[in-house]
Amino acid sequence: DRGNLYKCLYPQGGSPATLAYLGPTGTAYSSYGSTYDLRYCGAGDSSFNDFAAFVSQINLTSAADFPNTIMNVFDVDAFLKRLALDVLTGHWDDYWINGNNYHLFLNPETRRWTYLPYDFDNTFDIRWIDAD
C-alpha cells in the first residue's frame, strides 16, 4: 500500500507501452497520453520520476552492466515466468508482442519493480486481427 502502481497499455490512437526512453524526467512519461498511467500513488510521489529512472536504466545502461543493473531493479525471474505462461496460453496482447496490458509496481521495501499482467481475453489463440 506504499508503492507506486503504473498501468501500461496501448491506448486507442496512442503508442504502445514498450518502455522506450522518452527523457530523463517523469514529465515525458506522465504527459505521454494514457500509455502510462499512475494508478496508485502509495509512495506519495506522483512525479513519475521513479518510472523515468527505471526506463532510463533499461535503455541507457551499457550491455556489460545491464545484467547486474536489471537484476537489482526488477524482479526478472517473475517476469520471465509470466512471459512463459503467456506463450503457453497463446496470449499475444501483452508486453512482449503488443506493448499492452501490464502494470509495473515499485515495491518501496525492495526498491525493485514487478511486472503484473492483466486482461487475458486474447489467450488460447483468440485474435481480433487477421483470423481466429
Side-chain angles (χ1 to χ4, degrees), residues 43-97:
D45 179 5
S46 61
S47 68
F48 277 70
N49 285 338
D50 56 351
F51 188 80
F54 176 60
V55 174
S56 294
Q57 288 171 318
I58 290 172
N59 289 279
L60 303 179
T61 300
S62 71
D65 294 333
F66 187 80
N68 287 330
T69 298
I70 197 68
M71 292 297 285
N72 287 329
V73 299
F74 186 63
D75 189 348
V76 174
D77 291 338
F79 175 68
L80 293 175
K81 288 175 186 176
R82 288 182 177 110
L83 286 183
L85 187 59
D86 283 353
V87 170
L88 290 172
T89 60
H91 185 226
W92 58 268
D93 196 16
D94 59 0
Y95 170 76
W96 189 258
I97 296 174

Side-chain angles (χ1 to χ4, degrees), residues 3-127:
N4 283 353
L5 179 69
Y6 293 87
K7 183 177 183 179
C8 307
L9 59 114
Y10 193 153
Q12 206 169 20
S15 297
T18 60
L19 301 177
Y21 181 75
L22 300 176
T25 65
T27 306
Y29 301 91
S30 64
S31 62
Y32 194 62
S34 58
T35 301
Y36 303 110
D37 182 22
L38 180 56
R39 285 305 186 127
Y40 180 78
C41 185
D45 179 5
S46 61
S47 68
F48 277 70
N49 285 338
D50 56 351
F51 188 80
F54 176 60
V55 174
S56 294
Q57 288 171 318
I58 290 172
N59 289 279
L60 303 179
T61 300
S62 71
D65 294 333
F66 187 80
N68 287 330
T69 298
I70 197 68
M71 292 297 285
N72 287 329
V73 299
F74 186 63
D75 189 348
V76 174
D77 291 338
F79 175 68
L80 293 175
K81 288 175 186 176
R82 288 182 177 110
L83 286 183
L85 187 59
D86 283 353
V87 170
L88 290 172
T89 60
H91 185 226
W92 58 268
D93 196 16
D94 59 0
Y95 170 76
W96 189 258
I97 296 174
N98 210 27
N100 196 23
N101 294 336
Y102 66 97
H103 289 93
L104 287 171
F105 174 71
L106 178 57
N107 184 319
E109 294 173 12
T110 64
R111 298 302 301 162
R112 292 175 72 204
W113 291 86
T114 301
Y115 169 82
L116 304 166
Y118 71 92
D119 193 6
F120 298 98
D121 61 337
N122 291 312
T123 55
F124 301 106
D125 207 30
I126 291 174
R127 288 181 241 154

